[in-house]
Amino acid sequence: MLKKDIGPVTVMGFARYRIKGGVDAAEFVAAARVWQQEFLAAQPGIAMHCLLGNLKGEFADAILATDPEAFGAMAQAHARAPSSAALMEMLDPDSIRLTQNLLLGGPKQLPDGFSCVEFGTFNPKDMATFSEDKMMDASDRIENAYLPRFGEAKSHFMGRVDETTYSEIAFVETSGAAREICNGYLNDADCLPLLEMFDPQTVDLDFWHVLA
């Protein structure tokens, strides 16, 4: 994992994908590690990167940046870096899905002590009555009344992907704890106000473990 002490972050990029058939997963992880060290570590404003995997055999990159400009500059430089070319050659291009998440509620400190990232996106059920302020009030309720019951919960962010898509991001000590915490949402009064804002048909949620 790459972590640089360069101050709080306001953006998280999340890219998920599969590797091509015939590509060895261990070789891919090694190439991602080279990319992390040779390219990302040198990019101004890139504070953290972790390579992730899920139980479906997919991979993902979580990249936290100090501001959108730093994230955008990194994305442009990515196309020209030799380690990027070697890595991209291993990916199934049709499987790549990328979101840039503007973290809401002000700059965030980097998460620490986690091995699992829960990442989910959703559209509000009713845009006519939805507001980001209401969503953040509901998120604050979860952070203040629900998550403190779990010592494994390390950080919790809400993000905006675009005008109609939002994200919820949790950094948790283990994958098992992340699933337990998430499943507990369904039956907890402190979590229902946020859940009731989501259109369930649009929820795209998974749990990712740290590989590098």
Side-chain angles (χ1 to χ4, degrees), residues 113-118 152-154 170-175 177-178 181:
F114 68 94
S115 71
C116 178
V117 180
E118 176 195 342
E152 300 94 337
K154 301 304 179 181
F171 297 84
V172 185
E173 186 176 296
T174 67
S175 179
I181 293 167

Side-chain angles (χ1 to χ4, degrees), residues 148-166:
R149 303 175 206 166
F150 302 89
E152 300 94 337
K154 301 304 179 181
S155 294
H156 177 261
F157 304 154
M158 301 299 296
R160 182 196 308 126
V161 179
D162 56 38
E163 292 182 355
T164 59
T165 308
Y166 291 86

Side-chain angles (χ1 to χ4, degrees), residues 38-152:
E38 293 187 358
F39 172 69
L40 282 177
Q43 300 306 302
I46 300 304
M48 191 179 90
H49 167 258
C50 45
L51 174 69
L52 307 165
N54 66 10
L55 297 181
K56 303 171 187 174
E58 297 175 312
F59 297 90
D61 293 296
I63 300 176
L64 287 157
T66 55
D67 52 72
E69 292 75 21
F71 186 83
M74 178 278 300
Q76 290 188 351
H78 168 59
R80 303 188 297 271
S83 60
S84 298
L87 195 65
M88 294 300 293
E89 182 59 29
M90 297 181 173
L91 306 188
D92 174 1
D94 295 330
S95 70
I96 299 172
R97 290 189 283 162
L98 172 65
T99 58
Q100 180 176 328
N101 305 265
L102 180 64
L103 303 180
L104 301 175
K108 309 296 182 184
Q109 298 300 315
L110 290 181
D112 198 13
F114 68 94
S115 71
C116 178
V117 180
E118 176 195 342
F119 180 82
T121 59
F122 64 93
N123 299 120
K125 187 183 300 182
D126 183 359
M127 289 300 296
T129 60
F130 173 82
S131 75
E132 289 185 4
D133 286 343
K134 290 179 182 178
M135 183 183 72
M136 294 307 294
D137 285 344
S139 173
D140 288 345
R141 182 171 173 178
I142 289 173
E143 292 177 3
N144 294 324
Y146 179 69
L147 292 179
R149 303 175 206 166
F150 302 89
E152 300 94 337

Side-chain angles (χ1 to χ4, degrees), residues 1-12:
M1 186 186 305
L2 169 70
K3 291 185 74 174
K4 296 190 292 185
D5 185 13
I6 55 175
V9 294
T10 64
V11 175
M12 176 172 149

